[in-house]
Amino acid sequence: MTRKPATRHATITDVADAAGVSIKTVSRVFNDEPNVRPLTRDRVVKAALDLDYHPNVAARSLAGRRSFLIGLAYENPSPNYVVDLQTGALERLKGERYRLLVLPFADVGAASGKMQAIARASGLDGIVLAPPLCDDAATVAELEACGLPYARIAPTTDGSHAPDVAMDDRAATQAVIDHLVGLGHRRIGIVRGDPSHASATARLEGYRAGLKAHGLTADPVLEAQGAYTFASGYAAGKALLALADRPTAIFASNDDMAAGVLNAAYEAGVSVPGALSVVGFDDSNIASVVWPRLTTVHQPIREMAHDATGALLALIEHQEAPPHQTMPFQLVVRGSTGPARA
Amino acid sequence: MTRKPATRHATITDVADAAGVSIKTVSRVFNDEPNVRPLTRDRVVKAALDLDYHPNVAARSLAGRRSFLIGLAYENPSPNYVVDLQTGALERLKGERYRLLVLPFADVGAASGKMQAIARASGLDGIVLAPPLCDDAATVAELEACGLPYARIAPTTDGSHAPDVAMDDRAATQAVIDHLVGLGHRRIGIVRGDPSHASATARLEGYRAGLKAHGLTADPVLEAQGAYTFASGYAAGKALLALADRPTAIFASNDDMAAGVLNAAYEAGVSVPGALSVVGFDDSNIASVVWPRLTTVHQPIREMAHDATGALLALIEHQEAPPHQTMPFQLVVRGSTGPARA
DNA sequence: TTGTACGCGTTATCAT
DNA sequence: ATGATAACGCGTACAA
């Protein structure tokens, strides 16, 4: 077993010496700055290659006053959602000098008011806020106050000057109701999302508005409370199916809960979509993994995370953000919905 | 709209002045070094609080020659697995000064040979390697050569001096076979995992050894190839069920594929567990979300990630790693397995 | 127990 | 187009 030689890594000075230029010129080359002759550039590049030189991140951060680190803050119980989020952000960062720090929180309370401290402790250049943090007034106010650049993914509330990439949850949910009513359903239940997520409210509103648009009256009994988790969907589904006058269709405010409803239906011996139609929201991985496959609203989380990250970069580098962006939603009809029984 | 005041953050010098001490003393306080009178310490702490002082991460990294950044490298198609991995690592880091950089790779090839460059580009102090990267000879050799501290999660191969937290995949799979044979199954199929994952081989070996232990001969026809994804499991399940002399039980090398098999069974009108028993591996989120719930091997991924991260920290800070650790596995029997038909 | 002085490897300013 | 030199904010010998 050989001892690791304490090889000092090559520094910018080494490269400068080897290339016969000053360190400033090397710096220019590595920062794609103008005013360096192609020939000089080549010499520097070659010297760097020879010496296996890599700029020191810490030194760059210290001198440049920026870390090239951005955070992705979220509080979401669904692994599928989380991975989509990360993937989108990471994809945008590919090829950039920025790196991503993931910042999961157990609940909004754990993040609220501490965001600035976390950002400084980690030396972040900016933060991408995913639901429900992006809708937390305290968090937004804090970030706004301390001037840290941030962007929001799928916010449902206003009151922020930060760039964001949103989707119209309310309209999407209305489209769900249209679909179900079109299949002949009249008694439609809902499993509400975690009330601390603003999206839960938007979807509930869309549900009610959808019913109203078709001349149906919302029945409080059919509005079961969930928490965006599989277990909560299962429990809510069980309750809904135990109703004397039970619904022929259930809209779950996300896919994980819809999967729970599906399970409750199996247990109750209610066939889907024969005796019960089920709709989810998100079109996350799980929607295509359960049986029958879920009819759901496709929410382009990856793209949203991607674009929000891009907006944040623009904000950091040019102090200006692209305009507010709204993504189109799309109802994906699969096997879990069918005509209402005559 | 108020303009953000260009407030220079307080530095260690400001705190030193305010507390009437030297910067070295402040440094001592913030690094929990001995030899500072309680009274002095209090003065420093108070001054820091007043000035809202937070140590500058970049300066610390530069002067201290370490970034307090560790990477978590993986290549895994299952969101559930990935989130468990991250959660475990993050839990261990809670309260420490270290931060986590996630490093997902599209495939081992994308990581192989580039790990060192990535580490230097991001200024990592160390890396946690998850499957299948932890079993990639090139990656391990590279890390070994450049002397970057690393730890491995659930490795299936040897040839590394790094600490690791493993599980006996082979024995676990044998236990699966024991369970199935105990239920009267004789014709047992397998959906193999992605061959680039060493775990796929270990599980295949366990499968074969399990059969042999019960005097059963392995039938190549029953060894379908999968890739650890839902879709691959679905395809493999379909193929297995289309066999003239089809299996009465199928062991899928991970839960995602087991869910795929379940879907294939539904489509083929084969009832589970009535006409077909299905077993997964991992006990990831999806195992409890499909119907029927999957009998599977519980792999404590979070704990493994947690402990491997801890081992890495020990390696970084004390140049010595805790001994190799093996986690116990556990067969979780749920609804997807039942007695073989007479 | 406390302080001084230097170095870490860059970026940035201002010459040239 | 290029270079000299001063920050950047902190850790660390070494001294007191």
Side-chain angles (χ1 to χ4, degrees):
Chain A
M1 187 165 168
T2 49
R3 231 180 114 36
K4 171 191 158 200
T7 53
R8 216 185 88 274
H9 282 158
T11 74
I12 197 172
T13 312
D14 300 328
V15 177
D17 289 351
V21 299
S22 77
I23 62 169
K24 177 63 209 181
T25 299
V26 178
S27 177
R28 283 198 181 89
V29 170
F30 274 84
N31 289 302
D32 288 316
E33 280 174 35
N35 294 338
V36 39
R37 249 188 322 190
L39 211 94
T40 313
R41 177 178 303 272
D42 290 346
R43 282 221 316 281
V44 171
V45 169
K46 185 179 180 315
L49 228 52
D50 287 348
L51 296 169
D52 188 31
Y53 167 74
H54 291 254
N56 179 302
V57 192
R60 278 184 137 174
S61 297
L62 181 57
R65 284 135 229 250
R66 52 219 198 110
S67 62
F68 289 98
L69 254 189
I70 74 172
L72 175 62
Y74 54 87
E75 179 265 281
N76 197 297
S78 163
N80 302 295
Y81 190 94
V82 166
V83 169
D84 276 347
L85 224 45
Q86 295 181 0
T87 306
L90 249 10
E91 273 171 0
R92 181 61 183 79
L93 259 32
K94 184 158 293 177
E96 306 276 355
R97 243 165 68 181
Y98 289 83
R99 299 155 295 160
L100 186 73
L101 225 49
V102 295
L103 305 171
F105 292 92
D107 56 288
V108 276
S112 208
K114 289 178 203 140
M115 210 50 105
Q116 186 184 359
I118 291 169
R120 275 188 72 182
S122 297
L124 300 180
D125 283 346
I127 294 192
V128 176
L129 248 39
L133 263 43
C134 61
D135 292 315
D136 181 53
T139 301
V140 167
E142 184 190 10
L143 255 23
E144 207 79 45
C146 76
L148 187 76
Y150 71 100
R152 304 193 299 162
I153 296 175
T156 321
T157 58
D158 290 337
S160 157
H161 301 120
D164 69 278
V165 183
M167 212 193 73
D168 192 339
D169 284 42
R170 192 189 150 116
T173 308
Q174 281 203 51
V176 168
I177 303 303
D178 288 348
H179 168 65
L180 292 173
V181 171
L183 287 169
H185 294 279
R186 292 286 172 274
R187 198 152 172 76
I188 303 171
I190 180 177
V191 182
R192 299 166 57 171
D194 184 331
S196 74
H197 289 225
S199 65
T201 308
R203 292 171 198 177
L204 176 62
E205 287 175 3
Y207 162 80
R208 289 178 179 161
L211 292 180
K212 195 170 182 183
H214 290 282
L216 300 169
T217 42
D219 181 347
V221 175
L222 294 182
E223 298 181 352
Q225 186 63 57
Y228 278 152
T229 62
F230 173 84
S232 72
Y234 173 73
K238 216 163 167 176
L240 248 22
L241 291 176
L243 253 33
D245 187 11
R246 77 179 184 212
T248 65
I250 295 177
F251 163 67
S253 297
N254 79 348
D255 290 340
D256 287 64
M257 296 199 297
V261 171
L262 239 37
N263 268 256
Y266 284 127
E267 278 202 359
V270 176
S271 90
V272 177
L276 178 74
S277 284
V278 176
V279 183
F281 202 111
D282 281 350
D283 195 17
S284 67
N285 189 289
I286 198 176
S288 309
V289 154
V290 292
W291 189 263
R293 314 258 159 102
L294 285 175
T295 290
T296 188
V297 173
H298 177 73
Q299 186 171 205
I301 302 170
R302 273 176 41 180
E303 289 86 337
M304 294 171 84
H306 179 279
D307 291 2
T309 303
L312 178 61
L313 294 193
L315 197 56
I316 293 174
E317 310 218 305
H318 312 107
Q319 288 83 260
E320 65 175 31
H324 167 94
Q325 189 181 340
T326 299
M327 289 284 199
F329 62 83
Q330 194 187 339
L331 181 67
V332 182
V333 178
R334 289 199 271 250
S336 67
T337 49
R341 280 208 175 138
Chain B
M1 186 165 171
T2 49
R3 233 181 112 36
K4 172 191 160 198
T7 53
R8 216 183 88 273
H9 282 158
T11 73
I12 197 173
T13 313
D14 300 328
V15 177
D17 290 349
V21 298
S22 76
I23 64 168
K24 176 63 213 180
T25 299
V26 179
S27 176
R28 284 199 181 87
V29 171
F30 274 85
N31 289 303
D32 289 315
E33 282 174 34
N35 294 338
V36 40
R37 250 187 321 189
L39 211 95
T40 314
R41 178 179 301 273
D42 290 346
R43 283 224 314 282
V44 170
V45 169
K46 183 176 181 319
L49 228 51
D50 287 348
L51 295 168
D52 188 31
Y53 168 73
H54 292 254
N56 180 302
V57 192
R60 279 185 137 175
S61 298
L62 182 56
R65 284 133 223 255
R66 51 220 200 108
S67 62
F68 288 98
L69 255 188
I70 74 171
L72 174 63
Y74 54 88
E75 180 265 280
N76 197 297
S78 162
N80 302 294
Y81 189 94
V82 166
V83 168
D84 277 347
L85 225 44
Q86 296 181 358
T87 304
L90 249 8
E91 272 170 0
R92 180 60 183 79
L93 259 30
K94 184 157 292 177
E96 307 275 357
R97 243 166 67 184
Y98 289 83
R99 299 157 293 160
L100 185 74
L101 225 49
V102 296
L103 304 171
F105 291 92
D107 56 287
V108 275
S112 206
K114 289 177 202 141
M115 211 49 105
Q116 184 182 1
I118 290 169
R120 276 187 70 183
S122 296
L124 301 180
D125 282 346
I127 294 191
V128 177
L129 249 39
L133 262 42
C134 60
D135 292 315
D136 181 54
T139 301
V140 167
E142 183 189 12
L143 255 24
E144 208 79 44
C146 76
L148 186 75
Y150 71 99
R152 305 193 299 164
I153 296 175
T156 320
T157 57
D158 291 333
S160 158
H161 303 122
D164 69 278
V165 183
M167 212 194 72
D168 192 339
D169 284 42
R170 193 188 150 115
T173 308
Q174 281 202 53
V176 168
I177 303 303
D178 288 347
H179 169 64
L180 291 173
V181 171
L183 286 169
H185 294 279
R186 292 287 171 274
R187 197 153 172 75
I188 303 171
I190 181 177
V191 181
R192 302 166 55 171
D194 185 331
S196 74
H197 290 225
S199 65
T201 307
R203 293 172 197 175
L204 176 62
E205 285 174 5
Y207 161 82
R208 288 178 180 161
L211 292 181
K212 196 169 182 183
H214 290 281
L216 299 168
T217 42
D219 181 348
V221 175
L222 294 182
E223 298 180 352
Q225 185 63 57
Y228 278 152
T229 63
F230 174 84
S232 71
Y234 173 73
K238 216 163 165 175
L240 248 22
L241 292 176
L243 253 34
D245 187 11
R246 76 181 184 209
T248 65
I250 296 177
F251 162 67
S253 298
N254 79 347
D255 290 341
D256 287 64
M257 295 198 298
V261 172
L262 239 37
N263 267 257
Y266 284 127
E267 276 201 0
V270 176
S271 89
V272 176
L276 178 74
S277 284
V278 177
V279 182
F281 201 110
D282 281 350
D283 195 18
S284 68
N285 190 288
I286 198 174
S288 308
V289 153
V290 293
W291 190 262
R293 314 259 161 102
L294 285 176
T295 289
T296 187
V297 174
H298 177 74
Q299 186 172 203
I301 302 170
R302 273 176 40 181
E303 291 85 336
M304 294 170 84
H306 179 280
D307 292 0
T309 304
L312 179 60
L313 293 192
L315 197 55
I316 292 174
E317 310 217 304
H318 312 109
Q319 287 85 258
E320 66 176 28
H324 167 96
Q325 189 181 340
T326 300
M327 289 285 199
F329 61 83
Q330 194 187 338
L331 181 67
V332 182
V333 177
R334 287 199 273 251
S336 67
T337 49
R341 282 210 173 133

